[in-house]
Amino acid sequence: MSDTTDILEMLSKGSITVEEAEKALRMKPFVDLGFAKPDLHRGMRQGIPEVIFGQGKTAEQIDAISESLLESGQKTVLITRLSEDKAALLKTAVKYYKEARIAAAGIIPEPDCKGTIVVATGGTSDLPVAEEAAVTAELLGNKVTRLYDVGVAGIQRLLSHTEELMSASVVIAIAGMEGALASVIGGLVNCPVIAVPTSVGYGASFEGLSALLSMLNSCASGVTVVNIDNGFGAGYSASMINHIGG
Amino acid sequence: MSDTTDILEMLSKGSITVEEAEKALRMKPFVDLGFAKPDLHRGMRQGIPEVIFGQGKTAEQIDAISESLLESGQKTVLITRLSEDKAALLKTAVKYYKEARIAAAGIIPEPDCKGTIVVATGGTSDLPVAEEAAVTAELLGNKVTRLYDVGVAGIQRLLSHTEELMSASVVIAIAGMEGALASVIGGLVNCPVIAVPTSVGYGASFEGLSALLSMLNSCASGVTVVNIDNGFGAGYSASMINHIGG
Amino acid sequence: MSDTTDILEMLSKGSITVEEAEKALRMKPFVDLGFAKPDLHRGMRQGIPEVIFGQGKTAEQIDAISESLLESGQKTVLITRLSEDKAALLKTAVKYYKEARIAAAGIIPEPDCKGTIVVATGGTSDLPVAEEAAVTAELLGNKVTRLYDVGVAGIQRLLSHTEELMSASVVIAIAGMEGALASVIGGLVNCPVIAVPTSVGYGASFEGLSALLSMLNSCASGVTVVNIDNGFGAGYSASMINHIGG
Amino acid sequence: MSDTTDILEMLSKGSITVEEAEKALRMKPFVDLGFAKPDLHRGMRQGIPEVIFGQGKTAEQIDAISESLLESGQKTVLITRLSEDKAALLKTAVKYYKEARIAAAGIIPEPDCKGTIVVATGGTSDLPVAEEAAVTAELLGNKVTRLYDVGVAGIQRLLSHTEELMSASVVIAIAGMEGALASVIGGLVNCPVIAVPTSVGYGASFEGLSALLSMLNSCASGVTVVNIDNGFGAGYSASMINHIGG
Amino acid sequence: MSDTTDILEMLSKGSITVEEAEKALRMKPFVDLGFAKPDLHRGMRQGIPEVIFGQGKTAEQIDAISESLLESGQKTVLITRLSEDKAALLKTAVKYYKEARIAAAGIIPEPDCKGTIVVATGGTSDLPVAEEAAVTAELLGNKVTRLYDVGVAGIQRLLSHTEELMSASVVIAIAGMEGALASVIGGLVNCPVIAVPTSVGYGASFEGLSALLSMLNSCASGVTVVNIDNGFGAGYSASMINHIGG
Amino acid sequence: MSDTTDILEMLSKGSITVEEAEKALRMKPFVDLGFAKPDLHRGMRQGIPEVIFGQGKTAEQIDAISESLLESGQKTVLITRLSEDKAALLKTAVKYYKEARIAAAGIIPEPDCKGTIVVATGGTSDLPVAEEAAVTAELLGNKVTRLYDVGVAGIQRLLSHTEELMSASVVIAIAGMEGALASVIGGLVNCPVIAVPTSVGYGASFEGLSALLSMLNSCASGVTVVNIDNGFGAGYSASMINHIGG
Amino acid sequence: MSDTTDILEMLSKGSITVEEAEKALRMKPFVDLGFAKPDLHRGMRQGIPEVIFGQGKTAEQIDAISESLLESGQKTVLITRLSEDKAALLKTAVKYYKEARIAAAGIIPEPDCKGTIVVATGGTSDLPVAEEAAVTAELLGNKVTRLYDVGVAGIQRLLSHTEELMSASVVIAIAGMEGALASVIGGLVNCPVIAVPTSVGYGASFEGLSALLSMLNSCASGVTVVNIDNGFGAGYSASMINHIGG
Amino acid sequence: MSDTTDILEMLSKGSITVEEAEKALRMKPFVDLGFAKPDLHRGMRQGIPEVIFGQGKTAEQIDAISESLLESGQKTVLITRLSEDKAALLKTAVKYYKEARIAAAGIIPEPDCKGTIVVATGGTSDLPVAEEAAVTAELLGNKVTRLYDVGVAGIQRLLSHTEELMSASVVIAIAGMEGALASVIGGLVNCPVIAVPTSVGYGASFEGLSALLSMLNSCASGVTVVNIDNGFGAGYSASMINHIGG
């Protein structure tokens, strides 16, 4: 029962004039007109996890937000960028993923859509970013296959997983240094590839700039890119795409 | 009838030894083992258009490739980055999209999947990139809605299209200068957003760098980014995602 | 007479139901709910010039927009980034400012506020940007004093104008190369300084980057910065500030 | 009673010759000729706070400067970039603003002009910069409204504050990451907007570069920019502008 | 005894059909077809050291990998980017090169090819990178001559070693700051020069960028470049080249 | 007879009061107090050439400035960045230096100080910048020795000129690409070296950035740097230094 | 018969004193002491082609240099960066390689060493750089195998040439955009790989910067890099390496 | 008594043949031919201090070098970039300049030339760099005048020192942030100005890049630039210039 309805009914009943109604509407147009987010919110109440950015918040603050979300009907809550120390202090968290630096509160969901998301990395140093992507995707209800350390300098390691790659509905390609993994995978598969440059490297990698530019210039079609080290963003986008298929 | 089959049959018949078979296979492993692209190719023969990058090729060269593709069963051929002058010389092209600088050969396809791709731009100068994205998506079998000149400096222009945005299965957000459009749309919608920075601007836009960095740093989840001015790449990725939904 | 009023009056008269009114309002919330820009528009109808970005538009297009603005009650129309050739083809323009590359349609306004805007440049090559700023400010109803070629390498040239600077309500400091002018003026005056880096220079000026960084790092308080070569933006902001004083 | 007056009176009384007077004046032209700053200084003695940059100074040094300013008639003294530890050692400070890292000595002033400065931030991490801007503005005699965490990824949060924004005389828009807030606010309001990029973000935010470029490229008129994280500079400039209106 | 052989023998014996053999081969083409690396691996078993990147691995992990390599017939194992503390914990290491931060397990090889690699540095601060290059080359079976601190600002120091330089089969030129050493050496010698920019320097050296750009722009023919501080890469490439000569 | 003297004499005679004198002095402090430039101007009247930046000025404008300078007693006038076409139209020019793009009006001066300036270049493509430096220095009264094409990739070319270098009072080292010349010369000589990076090169020379960074990072003491391609600035500074020696 | 010999013989005969001999030698140490380049020159006279950089030289100048080289016994002369128009005017050239923009004067040499250089490119647009590398290598006496358009986005194209790659003594890997080719090839082969980034691409390729950084960060050992578009440099270095093998 | 003399005398006496003499000379041309540095070295023995770069050396190492220099006749030794802790351990040092982080061994020299070097800074934070420059110049035998905290935002502070500036033979202008000081001083004085950008600042100062670019683009003639924070280099170059005047 929104304010707009109230105002209109008051106008309809003659309790207020047209001018008064017009002014009242003008004063709070965004609260009650119901565009944009409400659908999203509704969607979320139906089971899609809400996300709390853990960095810079105290354990108490996180618990408070987490509790209020769970009480409002949210089934799962993701807490990202969370140190192990802080995670140990959380009361609401039911599981902590150390590599991913993610905690989950509420229910750990089962996969709720058909497709599989493949998370591939160039090297073992890319693992924290990869786990952030993989755990995000899992907690958002996706099946995830991990293909780690399949960098292009040993192309046969990657090619030996052609079948997993070919059967994915989305691939997240994670690599630092020269970031070539995204292009090679983009050329092998038929599905969308989300590339995540990492800050792994030294010297002319310039904290991930090299991999970022490589991935943006990928000569393979179907490759899009997120920010350096943004495993969460890749997992979130991949989940969105994967759920389109039902 | 591939060479592998030949070799195996010769082995099966005893014409060659196991060692000879092994050596023969080792010598050309990639020609006939049929991984990766063939599935894609088969997919393409079922109706997905093939793409020719028109820049740097003569009209004759384009016609030759185009004809051979059509003869091999390809129904539609896209020719991108094609100047109007060169397009006029093409014999195989059935339609030229001037703003998009794309020509189509073969059959102009009808939409073959349910969802709609919204192509939104910040300003009128982003139009060539937007049309490259939109026409690419259309020729790949997608319904496309164009929302042009809905830049964030007049946010009500964008918000008046909330309904179109909310009903999209993918949104392509195209903007130069500060590139804020991607973030605002990413916050409004529930579907994947592909952001395309454009080189529109001057001074500190540094040929699209400003918009590119903005989009990579989008505070909205679900936004991925392609190269500056890469309308084709965005249209191609959006089509991939849109077709996942059937 | 807005649509909102129409809808509300129809509801008030019982011609439509509350539900119908609510739905109608929801469908076009931004056109007629009167937030944000309408106040601006009203302000504009009271005499503030509207601006047309001339670059990339034909003379016919500019004339059409210009005419429609003048017909709707707009008294003055600015057309920026307009080449001399195109200006010669315009029917609606009453004056062309060659250096500023700006044309005016409608009435050339008299200053309508008390303060004075000083436009200062480091060198003579900054003149086109300076004139864009100065003419913009004049056509927006400001008194403008021009102090050109008062670069810091000959500090006495600048200091001999201390009185004009001290009596300004806003100063626009325009300089390329090392962009030191903004800091020196910022230290001399008591009013807001808007700094405009220009692309004048060569080598390590990197198309205005050097001046831009200088100005952003100004050690003087009260200095804010606009994009490289953005004379229009500086003139517009200065006018906003100058009009605060009535 | 300046030296110049002394010299001139000595000349007037015949105690020195014209040549001696001329030479005396030439030797110290900037001390006593009273250009530029004196008006500012006078203004300051009338109540405008003086500012001490706290970083790199000891508590004793700050106290000494602060005391001498207060003794010379200064009513309020701002001490910026001051750590909590050092603030605890200050004898002259009457109040410490922890988030803003600012201390005040002397009298905390009441607002002395009509307009309101709105300080808006994209996220909660921008808070320290925002408080530096807000407290600076308050201590310089301005009414300040804080609108924090109204980033463009949830545009309705921002729009629900349209009224506060519309009634501001200046808006300070503070954001890291993609910095889109400045453009969206610039399009909503009719008053000057001072944009402050922050170093909040990671990867391709490049320590605030992304937000800085975005803001410089703002497609909204009336937006000017200060250095990354320069909350003080924004508050100072906003106060200057706000006081023009009386 | 690879899977491929198994499959082929089963086919040869009639245990499986040609179709079954073909499908089996298609499923794991990269595991057993033996392209690419096997030759390398074989080469390595013949004495070329294997390399373990020590950084980010525990002493236990390194020992485990090292042992397994030695057991499989590897004669020498290089462990790079290894801190002194961690080296002290290694059981498999037979020698630790402190400056180079490299440990060797197995046998320290004698030079096994005719040519000499000269490792030259501009200054003494480049020594750790130089030792990484030199020790890598030595452990890969090369004779190495060290010419340290022969920077171009004292050109006679370099020129007094003309003979050593002239008799090298490869020169590794290592320098930070302005990186001029590569060009000067490139002009003196008749053999390939591998340039290694170092992050030695401050200010406008931008962590090695200055030396990197210098070396890429070398006006001397025969100079190629590796990543900043990549002593290992230079030593490895130099060894490859040196071994071509037998 | 300056205004200050007039005012003081009027005060001395009692024609004006102390207050009137003080006010009069305050109004034009920079015109007549005789600091800074006047000494310079006097110096110039004694024979030091005045410089006109020719680019962006018409032949008529240049002639007018040139004539007025010559009439005021200036013996030589330099006109820099002057195209051959425009030079042909000049009436005041007595000589045009095509490579240097400099014209001279008035008298071509003889060397008026003892020392010699050596202008050295890395390659033949640096010649225009070198000639701008050399001709500037000559027209400012210096003896100049040209050592062109002595780049460090053929170090013996440079070293064969050790004697000329050793006897210079200032060396201007001009180089593009890797800019190593400045360091090598800086190590050979005992006098100040002014380094001029040029935009000669391609790819990673980034329009002179590579040479600029190299020169700023020179490991030789006594090297200072000017802007990319700034031959004039180097010639001017070198002349200043050379004249110190008398 | 060098000057040094003359001086020594004069000393030996007593025509000059030890002091006179010492002084004479000191005055021209680099002309006649025969270090460094002379060996190279001698080498060149034995058949290694001399190179003329054609850009910026007239046909007459090139012919003059070319003739003098041929007369002095040089068998082959390479002229690089030569436009077709200018090549048509050359009298000394016996063959022009249009794609490579190289002309040859004298004798087109046969391969004079055993190994093969493979020149591989990512795309067809990299062809001019590839031909510059390939023709340079051929004219320096090498066998060259061209593998064009084997970019990593279609990895099977590259892998189908594994045999050619495996049998190379040096591989030149040429690619623009993301430059991943160098890493993939570096992982496949056992020989030195020289990577050439090209300026092919747009937007975030930043004129070759993206490919350059990628290649410098290659995760494969044995990869070294030359300047953007420097086909000649790669061909020259590859030839040096290839000739080591005899 | 050099080796060259020995060889020549042996030849003169007939102990060796001309051929033997020639070969002997060719083998070590740079040790004894006495070009370049010897003159410098002689100069140094006449009193010019030698410099030891203290950073990265132990107190023992520094003492050893210092002692050997003093024993060889060197009167003064500068030790730069030396921490207070390490300085306390030095036995040879006779004085430590804390702000400058420089120690002196041997004799503290008196000024040995006529001119004065002015060291000016924009702010108090630039002091360490300024003291490094000033102490370097003093220990190299120059009179130094310090003008600290005369930044351009309070131009009268600088102008009140016009006389000191005008009487300098060289000015070292040191500033961070926007680096405008160099241009303003360059316009005031008639002598060479050496500009030192400092890393003082934050945000868009990018660790001194802003000041560096500003100074390179100085619109004043006679300004040359050294590396960021390179106080030593500026002091050394200034001393070279100052000593030209005798």
Side-chain angles (χ1 to χ4, degrees), chain C residues 28-83:
Chain C
K28 55 198 159 42
F30 307 101
V31 177
D32 48 29
L33 266 183
F35 70 89
K37 286 299 183 192
D39 286 324
L40 179 60
H41 290 161
R42 216 173 316 128
M44 282 186 166
R45 268 177 242 113
Q46 291 157 2
I48 301 174
E50 186 70 78
V51 182
I52 302 170
F53 189 73
Q55 193 173 301
K57 297 201 180 66
T58 64
E60 287 73 29
Q61 289 173 321
I62 294 170
D63 269 335
I65 303 171
S66 185
E67 262 166 45
S68 97
L69 283 167
L70 294 170
E71 275 167 20
S72 74
Q74 185 77 29
K75 288 191 185 142
T76 310
V77 175
L78 260 87
I79 306 142
T80 63
R81 301 274 159 121
L82 184 74
S83 68

Side-chain angles (χ1 to χ4, degrees), chain D residues 15-169:
Chain D
S15 322
I16 55 172
T17 65
V18 166
E19 286 70 25
E20 286 168 340
E22 199 166 359
K23 190 176 167 200
L25 288 171
R26 188 183 301 227
M27 286 302 95
K28 56 198 157 40
F30 305 102
V31 177
D32 46 31
L33 269 182
F35 69 89
K37 286 300 184 192
D39 286 323
L40 179 60
H41 290 160
R42 215 173 317 129
M44 282 186 169
R45 269 180 240 113
Q46 291 157 4
I48 302 175
E50 184 71 75
V51 182
I52 303 171
F53 190 73
Q55 192 173 299
K57 297 201 179 69
T58 65
E60 288 72 28
Q61 289 174 320
I62 295 170
D63 269 334
I65 304 171
S66 186
E67 260 166 47
S68 96
L69 284 167
L70 293 170
E71 274 166 22
S72 74
Q74 184 78 28
K75 289 191 187 142
T76 309
V77 175
L78 259 86
I79 305 141
T80 64
R81 302 272 161 124
L82 184 73
S83 68
E84 197 171 6
D85 289 354
K86 207 188 285 176
L89 300 173
L90 286 185
K91 290 174 188 158
T92 52
V94 298
K95 185 163 181 183
Y96 180 66
Y97 303 80
K98 189 174 163 180
E99 292 273 18
R101 303 180 62 223
I102 290 177
I107 293 162
I108 310 293
E110 292 300 306
D112 59 5
C113 68
K114 290 178 301 183
T116 298
I117 295 171
V118 168
V119 179
T121 73
T124 52
S125 312
D126 302 318
L127 205 135
V129 177
E131 279 300 307
E132 191 183 72
V135 171
T136 294
E138 286 173 340
L139 291 177
L140 290 166
N142 301 275
K143 272 175 287 185
V144 172
T145 299
R146 287 159 172 84
L147 297 182
Y148 290 174
D149 199 18
V150 292
V152 301
I155 196 75
Q156 75 281 17
R157 289 181 301 177
L158 178 64
L159 295 180
S160 67
H161 293 287
T162 303
E163 214 167 345
E164 283 101 321
L165 288 167
M166 295 295 292
S167 62
S169 59

Side-chain angles (χ1 to χ4, degrees), chain A residues 37 240, chain B residues 181-191 193 218 220-223, chain D residues 153:
Chain A
K37 286 299 184 192
M240 271 187 168
Chain B
L181 188 66
S183 288
V184 175
I185 289 180
L188 286 174
V189 302
N190 230 344
C191 70
V193 174
S218 175
S221 299
V223 177

